[in-house]
Amino acid sequence: MNEFYDASETRSTDAREAALFAALPGQIAHAKAKATYFATVLADVNPADIADRAALARLPVTRKSDLIDLQQAAPPFGGLTATDKSKLFRVFASPGPIYDPEGGGTDWWRIGRALWAAGFRPGELMHNCFSYHFTPGGIMFETAAHAIGCPVFPAGVGNTEQQARAVADLRPAGYSGTPSFLKIILEKAVEMGLDHSSLTKACVSGEALLPPLRQSLNDLGVDVVQAYATADLGLIAYESKAKEGLVVDEGIIVEIVRPGTNDPVVAGEVGEVVVTSFNPDYPLIRFGTGDLSAVLAGHSPCGRTNMRLKGWMGRADQTTKIKGMFVHPRQINDVAKRFDVIARAKLVVEKDGDADRMTLHVESADHSESLAASIRDTMQSVCKLKGNVAFHAPGALPNDGKVIEDKRS
């Protein structure tokens, strides 16, 4: 059977970019016309002008961390949806609370592509252990399985002995859920003397799949790959059998930006994952996920040609409280932008006895005391706090996406 979900996975980079950016002006026009939030924040934007990545990068980033306040100000969805609540299929709640819509159609979150890459094929039973309560995980993967022709056992979470018994009795071909819960089920099956050999594949999400856990599951007979998805965006990227990075989904545009800014980083640098979606019901334009990642060079050995991400590398929202005041990544970037000689900056917060000590580490060819004094003055003006300055050669700071590093704990 076909290794690829569809032909779009193997098209050239130029063909993919041309198709995405030919469709983007229409999506931006749709968002402005139907979603009151985007009508406001994109009021001065001519959709026809947003026809490449450089133009897209000039638009503001709306971050997931903004959703709670936006939804409280304009319930239930903050004005970001383009479909009336009465016409939705389902509404979900994530911690915060953040309310997530689901519109109509087949595989609304586009997870089917990830299941196909994991090896799921029509007719195979999927044991689905994502939650069906409040949050959309269970429905996200169930509707995707149905889209590719797979029946689903809606197992949800908990009831470990019953889960192991169902695996032995129903003999599902694959599993969806968190990797740690899969390990619990399989170990329970071994403890109870139950056959779990039908489970040979899994598409997991919701937590980190560290190498020891992947190896443990492989030792138990299950080949595991990851899907990177969120309740608001659906599928962002997925692992193929090559297991060399996460391949970006075909239905979105992904950028990596410097945390706290709207600015894309250079290729390979760690930054925040920002996604533009073509979903007509929830047309998220430059939506900051709050997750850190970086782009891998080249194409996947599996033959898929889209951009690849290294995977989850931490959180982009690094706001911290120093001496009773919050300091945000955007403030540190604001300080750096005021000096042409600064290539990159990172604030490190440490304890000096009982007091907080903050040091702005900057990459610059100029290490003069006059520059350091100007930076200190700017930092106090922007952050309302005094700090030290430490100089480094260009390229010396670690590529970890951290704009603020809190070492006090």
Side-chain angles (χ1 to χ4, degrees), residues 64 67-68 71 91-101 133-137 140 230-232:
K64 190 180 183 83
L67 286 184
I68 295 174
Q71 291 187 355
V91 175
F92 298 94
S94 298
I98 293 174
Y99 296 104
D100 305 302
H133 178 66
F134 269 66
T135 58
M140 290 170 74
T230 69
D232 23 59

Side-chain angles (χ1 to χ4, degrees), residues 110-126:
R110 309 178 321 282
I111 306 290
R113 191 178 300 280
L115 293 181
W116 192 271
F120 287 84
R121 293 298 181 266
E124 294 181 328
L125 179 63
M126 186 178 81

Side-chain angles (χ1 to χ4, degrees), residues 34 39 41 46 61 75 85 127 139 160 176 200 202 245 248 256 263 277 285 299 314 319 343 347 368 383:
K34 299 293 186 179
V41 299
N46 179 1
V61 172
K85 183 177 67 174
H127 190 104
I139 294 296
T160 308
S176 57
T200 60
V248 169
I256 306 294
D263 307 327
S277 166
I285 309 297
H299 295 156
T319 299
L347 184 72
S368 67
C383 302

Side-chain angles (χ1 to χ4, degrees), residues 314-331:
R315 294 295 298 167
D317 185 4
Q318 299 154 22
T319 299
T320 190
K321 184 179 281 189
I322 306 169
K323 299 178 182 178
M325 297 189 66
F326 284 106
V327 178
H328 304 271
R330 65 175 179 271
Q331 293 174 296

Side-chain angles (χ1 to χ4, degrees), residues 325 331 335 338 358 360 373-389:
M325 297 189 66
Q331 293 174 296
V335 172
R338 298 189 187 190
M358 51 188 264
L360 189 65
S374 294
I375 295 171
R376 287 193 295 268
D377 289 344
T378 303
M379 185 162 47
Q380 184 170 0
S381 174
V382 172
C383 302
K384 312 304 180 189
L385 292 166
K386 292 182 179 180
N388 301 314
V389 174

Side-chain angles (χ1 to χ4, degrees), residues 334-403:
D334 186 25
V335 172
K337 282 184 175 181
R338 298 189 187 190
F339 299 89
D340 292 339
V341 295
I342 294 180
R344 200 152 50 126
K346 179 168 80 169
L347 184 72
V348 176
V349 188
E350 300 169 287
K351 275 292 187 186
D352 184 5
D354 292 329
D356 295 333
R357 181 178 73 241
M358 51 188 264
T359 304
L360 189 65
H361 294 257
V362 300
E363 292 182 0
S364 174
D366 181 352
H367 292 188
S368 67
E369 175 53 33
S370 61
L371 176 60
S374 294
I375 295 171
R376 287 193 295 268
D377 289 344
T378 303
M379 185 162 47
Q380 184 170 0
S381 174
V382 172
C383 302
K384 312 304 180 189
L385 292 166
K386 292 182 179 180
N388 301 314
V389 174
F391 288 112
H392 302 267
L397 292 177
N399 179 23
D400 56 9
K402 291 182 179 179
V403 178

Side-chain angles (χ1 to χ4, degrees), residues 16-25 28 46-59 253-255 264 276 278 286:
R16 179 178 291 107
E17 288 285 290
L20 289 172
F21 284 94
L24 183 58
I28 292 174
N46 179 1
D49 293 340
I50 314 302
D52 57 29
R53 287 184 180 268
L56 179 61
R58 292 194 290 270
L59 302 185
I253 297 171
V254 167
E255 304 167 89
T276 295
F278 289 88
R286 296 203 88 198

